[in-house]
Amino acid sequence: MNIMDFNVKKLAADAGTFLSRAVQFTEEKLGQAEKTELDAHLENLLSKAECTKIWTEKIMKQTEVLLQPNPNARIEEFVYEKLDRKAPSRINNPELLGQYMIDAGTEFGPGTAYGNALIKCGETQKRIGTADRELIQTSALNFLTPLRNFIEGDYKTIAKERKLLQNKRLDLDAAKTRLKKAKAAETRNSIWAEEVTKSEQELRITQSEFDRQAEITRLLLEGISSTHAHHLRCLNDFVEAQMTYYAQCYQYMLDLQKQLGSFPSNYLSNNNQTSVTPVPSVLPNAIGSSAMASTSGLVITSPSNLSDLKECSGSRKARVLYDYDAANSTELSLLADEVITVFSVVGMDSDWLMGERGNQKGKVPITYLELLN
C-alpha cells in the first residue's frame, strides 16, 4: 500500500467519523436521539473548572488594570511579552510628578520655603514611584503569572481533553444508535445479523474509549482543587506586596508631613483675602507633643512657644524663621533671621500677631516666628 492510498483512506475515515458525530449531535439537539449523560461527579468537576476559568480571567484582567491603568501601556507590554522581548522601562506617573516638583523647586530657589517644600515633595513622589514599580514587578511575578499560566496552560489542556471526551461520547451514542437500528432491521430480515454483530463490537470499542477518556478528564479536573490551593498562596503574596507598598507610601508621606511642618504654608487667594495655614492645628496629631522637628536645618516652633506668644501681655522679641511677603497694607513683610517686636491685639485672629519693626507695623503670621527669651 502506497502512502497516497493510506492518506486517502485515512481522510475518508476521518470524514466519515466527523459526519457521524455531526449527525448524532444534530439529532440530539432535535430530540431525535438519546444522549449518554456524564456522571454527576464529573459534571460537577467540569462546572467547577469552567467557573474557575471565568473568574480567574476576570481577576487577572482587573488586576492588570489596577497595576497599569493606561490601556496603551498594557497593550504594549502584551505585544512585547508575545515577542518574548523586554518592554522598555518608562517613568511612571508619581516619578514624573516628582521630577516636575523638583525642577520647579530648583527654579523657584531651594532657599525659599516654597521651593524647598516642592523639592521635598518631589523626592517623596519619586520614592512612591519606585515603590509602585516594585509592586507591579512583584505582583506580576507572584500573582499574575501563575493565573496566566493556568489559563494558557492547565485549562487549555483541560479544554482539549473535554472536547475529546465530547467526541468520544458522540461516537458512543452514534454506535448505540446504529446497533439499535441494526437490531430493529434484524427482526424483519435475518441478513442483518452480521450487521448486528459488527455494531455490537463497535459499541464495545467506543464504550471503552469513552470510559478511558472520561477517566483522563476526571483526573485532570480533580487537579482544580490543587490549582485553588496554589492560587491562594499567590493571593497571599499579592496581599503582602500591597501591604508592603501601602506601608512604604504611608511612611514616606508621614516623613514628608513632618518635613512640611517645618515650612509655613500661607495660601494667598487675592490682594484682599488671606487664608491662614492649617499646619499648626494638625501638627500635634502628626508628630505628637515634641517641641521641635528638624529637617535639613529647618526648625519648627513648638505649640507651647506659639501659645506663649499669643498669650503674653505686653511686647516680646521674636526671630523671623522665613521670608514673608505681605498680602496687603495691613500686614508686615518679613525677612528670615531678623528680630522684630510682637504683641497681641484683642479680637485679632488666633493665627496672627501684630509685628513692629522701627516705624513699620502690621500683622504677622505666628508660624513664621520663634519667641526669644
Side-chain angles (χ1 to χ4, degrees), residues 13 17 21 25 36 46 70 79 86 92-93 128 151 162 176 200 210 243 260 287 293 300 328 337 339 342 358 363 372:
T17 301
R21 290 170 180 170
F25 182 79
T36 298
L46 287 169
N70 187 334
V79 171
K86 185 177 180 180
N92 56 32
N93 290 329
I128 290 175
I151 296 297
R162 181 178 183 176
K176 288 180 179 179
E200 287 176 343
F210 171 77
M243 184 177 67
L260 291 184
I287 61 174
I300 180 169
N328 52 53
D337 293 326
V339 176
V342 294
K363 293 193 302 181
L372 298 178

Side-chain angles (χ1 to χ4, degrees), residues 179-329:
L179 177 59
K180 185 177 181 180
K181 290 179 179 179
K183 285 184 175 181
E186 184 186 26
T187 59
R188 299 190 298 270
N189 192 336
S190 59
I191 198 173
W192 283 90
E194 183 179 349
E195 185 65 25
V196 169
T197 302
K198 182 180 177 181
S199 297
E200 287 176 343
Q201 183 180 4
E202 180 185 7
L203 178 60
R204 285 193 296 271
I205 293 173
T206 54
Q207 182 70 59
S208 175
E209 291 179 347
F210 171 77
D211 292 340
R212 177 176 176 275
Q213 186 57 39
E215 181 64 15
I216 292 173
T217 306
R218 181 186 64 78
L219 290 174
L220 281 173
L221 291 171
E222 287 178 345
I224 291 293
S225 295
S226 298
T227 298
H228 283 193
H230 177 52
H231 287 182
L232 174 59
R233 292 192 294 272
C234 297
L235 181 62
N236 285 330
D237 290 339
F238 179 51
V239 171
E240 185 175 346
Q242 284 185 302
M243 184 177 67
T244 300
Y245 168 71
Y246 290 120
Q248 286 177 320
C249 291
Y250 173 76
Q251 188 60 52
Y252 292 153
M253 297 311 295
L254 189 64
D255 294 342
L256 177 62
Q257 185 184 42
K258 292 179 181 179
Q259 294 177 32
L260 291 184
S262 304
F263 297 91
S265 52
N266 277 46
Y267 301 97
L268 308 180
S269 57
N270 54 46
N271 291 333
N272 299 318
Q273 294 179 333
T274 303
S275 60
V276 295
T277 174
V279 172
S281 62
V282 300
L283 187 60
N285 293 330
I287 61 174
S289 59
S290 61
M292 306 293 285
S294 64
T295 306
S296 303
L298 294 169
V299 182
I300 180 169
T301 306
S302 70
S304 61
N305 199 339
L306 295 178
S307 297
D308 291 342
L309 275 172
K310 189 62 187 173
E311 296 172 3
C312 69
S313 58
S315 62
R316 298 287 295 273
K317 294 293 185 180
R319 185 174 67 86
V320 177
L321 296 174
Y322 322 102
D323 292 345
Y324 176 72
D325 294 326
N328 52 53
S329 60

Side-chain angles (χ1 to χ4, degrees), residues 3-21:
I3 296 178
M4 183 64 73
D5 291 340
F6 177 78
N7 288 341
V8 171
K9 288 181 178 179
K10 184 176 183 303
L11 182 63
D14 290 344
T17 301
F18 177 80
L19 180 61
S20 173
R21 290 170 180 170

Side-chain angles (χ1 to χ4, degrees), residues 39-242:
D39 65 80
H41 177 59
L42 187 55
E43 286 285 5
N44 288 335
L45 290 175
L46 287 169
S47 177
K48 183 178 181 180
E50 182 66 19
C51 183
T52 301
K53 180 251 186 183
I54 291 173
W55 284 111
T56 300
E57 282 183 330
K58 288 183 177 181
I59 292 172
M60 182 178 69
K61 290 178 180 178
Q62 193 57 39
T63 302
E64 291 173 344
V65 172
L66 173 68
L67 298 176
Q68 178 50 271
N70 187 334
N72 294 328
R74 290 201 305 274
I75 293 174
E76 182 184 50
E77 290 170 0
F78 175 79
V79 171
Y80 273 98
E81 182 181 346
K82 292 303 178 183
L83 295 175
D84 197 21
R85 294 175 58 187
K86 185 177 180 180
S89 179
R90 287 186 170 82
I91 188 169
N92 56 32
N93 290 329
E95 290 173 328
L96 184 59
L97 174 60
Q99 191 58 55
Y100 285 164
M101 286 182 168
I102 291 173
D103 292 344
T106 301
E107 186 164 344
F108 295 153
T112 66
Y114 183 43
N116 204 341
L118 276 172
I119 292 174
K120 297 295 183 185
C121 288
E123 291 170 348
T124 299
Q125 290 297 330
K126 294 189 78 170
R127 283 194 285 269
I128 290 175
T130 300
D132 184 66
R133 194 183 299 278
E134 292 173 355
L135 171 65
I136 292 174
Q137 292 173 349
T138 303
S139 300
L141 179 65
N142 296 336
F143 186 59
L144 287 177
T145 297
L147 297 188
R148 189 176 293 109
N149 287 342
F150 167 73
I151 296 297
E152 298 179 356
D154 294 350
Y155 189 79
K156 279 190 174 181
T157 302
I158 290 174
K160 178 182 176 181
E161 296 300 329
R162 181 178 183 176
K163 183 177 180 181
L164 190 56
L165 177 63
Q166 170 74 351
N167 290 337
K168 295 300 182 182
R169 201 270 307 160
L170 289 171
D171 292 343
L172 173 62
D173 287 339
K176 288 180 179 179
T177 299
R178 283 193 292 273
L179 177 59
K180 185 177 181 180
K181 290 179 179 179
K183 285 184 175 181
E186 184 186 26
T187 59
R188 299 190 298 270
N189 192 336
S190 59
I191 198 173
W192 283 90
E194 183 179 349
E195 185 65 25
V196 169
T197 302
K198 182 180 177 181
S199 297
E200 287 176 343
Q201 183 180 4
E202 180 185 7
L203 178 60
R204 285 193 296 271
I205 293 173
T206 54
Q207 182 70 59
S208 175
E209 291 179 347
F210 171 77
D211 292 340
R212 177 176 176 275
Q213 186 57 39
E215 181 64 15
I216 292 173
T217 306
R218 181 186 64 78
L219 290 174
L220 281 173
L221 291 171
E222 287 178 345
I224 291 293
S225 295
S226 298
T227 298
H228 283 193
H230 177 52
H231 287 182
L232 174 59
R233 292 192 294 272
C234 297
L235 181 62
N236 285 330
D237 290 339
F238 179 51
V239 171
E240 185 175 346
Q242 284 185 302

Side-chain angles (χ1 to χ4, degrees), residues 349-364:
D349 190 288
S350 60
D351 292 313
W352 296 80
L353 287 170
M354 286 301 295
E356 193 174 71
R357 183 204 304 115
N359 296 327
Q360 296 177 317
K361 185 183 296 185
K363 293 193 302 181
V364 292

